[in-house]
């Protein structure tokens, strides 16, 4: 039976509410397979600079991003399409078929439709006929780590045997072209993982600890108020900046660095491990300077940090799983390695996980 334990990260204990699983006395949970998908269309900084007053030099220097991918607006690369491809790869790598999945958790804030959920659409697109439970979660850029933590809890409690978790985003549809500081950051993509019970006593793979947090008082740092029930899209605002997300970049930057490190330390503490024992840090890819500052705070050598922001930009809930899948495919991450996943996003949400891959 999963036990919930509450314990705030070191420097944010007063503001963060945290729900974490105790690592011991529960079945082990293994990442059975991963997959990722990026749309075909590459959009480099020069192309962006034709739309807004910016330059390749500024974007590269301030963010580390050189290019990103944009989904085709004509279809075939919507979040559930990307998720289908990434999930099929994850299932193949796990040696499983779609009907082996008994739960789908889909993290996104750019769903194909408002109804039904992406998770149920994905169920159909994968040809799953076992009527497994399927739900979407909205935790912005922390979405995949939230999904992983929920899957871990469901599997450790015996409620699921094999969960498909996905982070998939089509941010190109939501870009605020009125704001040159934010529109340069984001791209589209997807990462997926199949996680399941590890019954092999000789196999040490496990999700050792997960720590989730949220601080709703930071809402103003990044929000999109219109298009919901409070402020529906009307003819007057449809072509105005109000329709798009707003971001206080500088403020967000500072909180991101502090939070990514604090939540990581919290997950490490829960796992009873120290940074020097971790083989790979897989941070949310928001800005190369945030990644580097987080690595420094944690005391993690640069060569142990997985970075792909230069190629894909910030793909929100997809950054962590897609970067993890990329590093696994490249042979960097090997079975038995200790991974530290850490994410931060609008909300403000954050999450970290320590995994024996
Ligand atoms: O996934 C989580 C969500 N997002 C984040 O985590 C974003 C966190 N924040 C950041 O990554 C950075 O704050 C940004 C990349 C958004 C901005 O970088 P910055 O170094 O914090 O720039 P700034 O906002 O302090 O602006 C510095 C200058 C300003 O000009 P002045 O006022 O000094 O003349 C901006 O107008 O840079 C200007 N600027 C730009 N110039 C060229 C802002 N955006 C651009 C741009 N091109 N795209």
């Amino acid at each position: 039976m999963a036990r919930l334990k509450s314990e705030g990260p070191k420097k944010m204990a007063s503001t963060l509410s945290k729900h974490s699983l105790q690592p011991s006395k529960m079945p082990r949970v293994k990442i059975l397979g991963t997959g990722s998908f990026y749309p075909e269309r590459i959009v480099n900084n020069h192309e962006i600079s034709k739309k807004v007053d910016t330059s390749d030099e500024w974007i590269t220097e301030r963010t580390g991003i050189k290019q990103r991918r944009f989904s085709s607006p004509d279809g075939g690369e919507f979040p559930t399409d990307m998720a289908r491809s990434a999930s099929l790869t994850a299932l193949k790598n796990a040696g499983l078929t779609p009907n082996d999945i008994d739960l789908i958790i889909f993290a996104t804030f750019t769903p194909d439709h408002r109804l039904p959920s992406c998770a149920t659409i994905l169920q159909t697109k994968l040809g799953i006929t076992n009527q497994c439970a399927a739900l979407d979660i909205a935790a912005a850029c922390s979405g995949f780590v939230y999904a992983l933590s929920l899957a871990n809890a469901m599997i450790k409690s015996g409620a699921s045997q094999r969960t498909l978790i996905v982070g998939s985003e089509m941010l190109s549809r939501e870009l605020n072209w009125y704001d040159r500081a934010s529109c340069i950051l984001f791209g589209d993509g997807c990462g997926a993982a199949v996680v399941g019970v590890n019954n092999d006593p000789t196999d040490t793979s496990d999700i050792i600890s997960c720590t989730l947090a949220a601080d709703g008082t930071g809402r103003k740092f990044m929000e999109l108020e219109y298009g919901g029930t409070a402020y529906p899209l009307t003819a007057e605002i449809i072509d105005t900046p109000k329709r798009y997300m707003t971001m206080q970049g500088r403020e967000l930057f500072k909180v991101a660095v502090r939070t990514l490190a604090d939540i990581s330390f919290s997950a490490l503490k829960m796992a009873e491990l120290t940074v020097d024992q971790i083989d790979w840090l897989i941070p949310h890819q928001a800005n190369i300077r945030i990644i580097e500052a987080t690595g420094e705070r944690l005391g993690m050598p640069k060569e142990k940090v997985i970075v792909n922001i230069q190629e894909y930009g910030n793909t929100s809930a997809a950054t962590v799983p897609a970067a993890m899948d990329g590093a696994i495919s490249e042979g960097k991450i090997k079975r038995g390695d200790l991974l530290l996943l850490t994410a931060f996003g609008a909300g403000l949400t954050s999450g970290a996980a320590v995994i024996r891959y």
Side-chain angles (χ1 to χ4, degrees):
M1 201 40 198
R3 244 179 58 188
L4 293 172
K5 183 175 155 187
S6 203
E7 185 186 18
K10 220 166 48 179
K11 290 178 189 160
M12 305 189 75
S14 58
T15 53
L16 297 183
S17 139
K18 186 167 74 64
H19 299 281
S20 309
L21 277 164
Q22 203 189 38
S24 58
K25 299 178 199 138
M26 280 180 280
R28 274 167 288 119
V29 175
K30 181 173 182 173
I31 297 187
L32 301 170
T34 60
S36 57
F37 180 89
Y38 291 102
E40 239 175 76
R41 187 171 164 229
I42 296 171
V43 178
N44 64 25
N45 292 341
H46 294 292
E47 193 173 336
I48 298 285
S49 70
K50 287 180 193 152
K51 285 188 78 122
V52 292
D53 181 16
T54 188
S55 64
D56 174 47
E57 195 187 7
W58 193 95
I59 301 172
T60 307
E61 196 181 298
R62 306 308 293 165
T63 72
I65 300 165
K66 294 296 291 179
Q67 61 181 48
R68 70 288 290 142
R69 301 290 179 99
F70 280 3
S71 294
S72 165
D74 302 325
E77 293 178 335
F78 292 144
T80 61
D81 299 315
M82 294 192 279
R84 178 181 177 276
S85 299
S87 300
L88 287 174
T89 307
L91 283 162
K92 189 174 167 221
N93 289 335
L96 296 171
T97 61
N99 270 316
D100 293 322
I101 296 300
D102 58 30
L103 172 64
I104 302 171
I105 307 177
F106 199 118
T108 188
F109 85 94
T110 54
D112 296 29
H113 310 285
R114 288 189 62 195
L115 264 182
S117 68
C118 283
T120 57
I121 296 172
L122 178 61
Q123 184 198 55
T124 312
K125 285 190 176 174
L126 288 172
I128 295 177
T129 52
N130 64 15
Q131 301 196 344
C132 68
L135 74 153
D136 284 10
I137 58 166
C141 301
S142 309
F144 182 81
V145 179
Y146 264 63
L148 181 81
S149 181
L150 296 182
N152 185 44
M154 291 294 274
I155 295 166
K156 286 196 163 136
S157 71
S160 168
Q161 292 293 299
R162 281 170 298 272
T163 305
L164 171 63
I165 51 177
V166 176
S168 190
E169 305 276 14
M170 186 172 168
L171 283 143
S172 55
R173 282 281 205 208
E174 300 291 345
L175 291 181
N176 184 351
W177 294 107
Y178 296 93
D179 176 14
R180 65 177 178 167
S182 83
C183 67
I184 54 147
L185 295 172
F186 301 102
D188 303 339
C190 176
V194 177
V195 289
V197 172
N198 176 7
N199 286 321
D200 181 351
T202 64
D203 185 340
T204 55
S205 294
D206 194 12
I207 296 173
I208 302 170
S209 72
C210 289
T211 306
L212 303 181
D215 177 3
T217 65
R219 164 185 168 174
K220 286 280 166 200
F221 290 148
M222 194 169 181
E223 62 182 345
L224 202 180
E225 285 195 307
Y226 286 81
T229 49
Y231 304 111
L233 288 180
T234 57
E236 294 89 70
I237 64 145
I238 203 88
D239 285 325
T240 70
K242 282 184 175 170
R243 181 243 175 278
Y244 299 101
M245 68 172 116
T246 57
M247 191 183 84
Q248 297 179 24
R250 217 177 289 183
E251 290 75 7
L252 209 50
F253 190 103
K254 287 182 227 151
V255 190
V257 172
R258 194 176 66 232
T259 308
L260 284 164
D262 286 352
I263 199 97
S264 300
F265 279 128
S266 181
L268 281 167
K269 189 178 168 200
M270 189 152 299
E272 295 174 6
L273 293 167
T274 51
V275 169
D276 52 296
Q277 291 172 284
I278 297 296
D279 296 295
W280 299 101
L281 172 68
I282 309 169
H284 172 47
Q285 313 281 308
N287 183 319
I288 190 66
R289 293 183 293 134
I290 293 177
I291 295 171
E292 286 173 359
T294 302
E296 275 167 32
R297 272 191 175 230
L298 285 170
M300 181 69 72
K302 270 188 178 177
E303 58 276 13
K304 289 184 168 190
V305 184
I306 304 293
V307 179
N308 69 3
I309 192 170
Q310 63 285 354
E311 273 183 89
Y312 302 112
N314 181 348
T315 55
S316 189
T319 68
V320 170
M324 177 167 70
D325 178 60
I328 291 168
S329 307
E330 285 168 26
K332 277 185 181 170
I333 296 176
K334 296 185 178 60
R335 284 289 176 196
D337 283 356
L338 275 171
L339 317 181
L340 173 57
L341 277 51
T342 185
F344 167 84
L348 302 171
T349 59
S350 57
V354 176
I355 297 168
R356 170 81 66 190
Y357 176 64

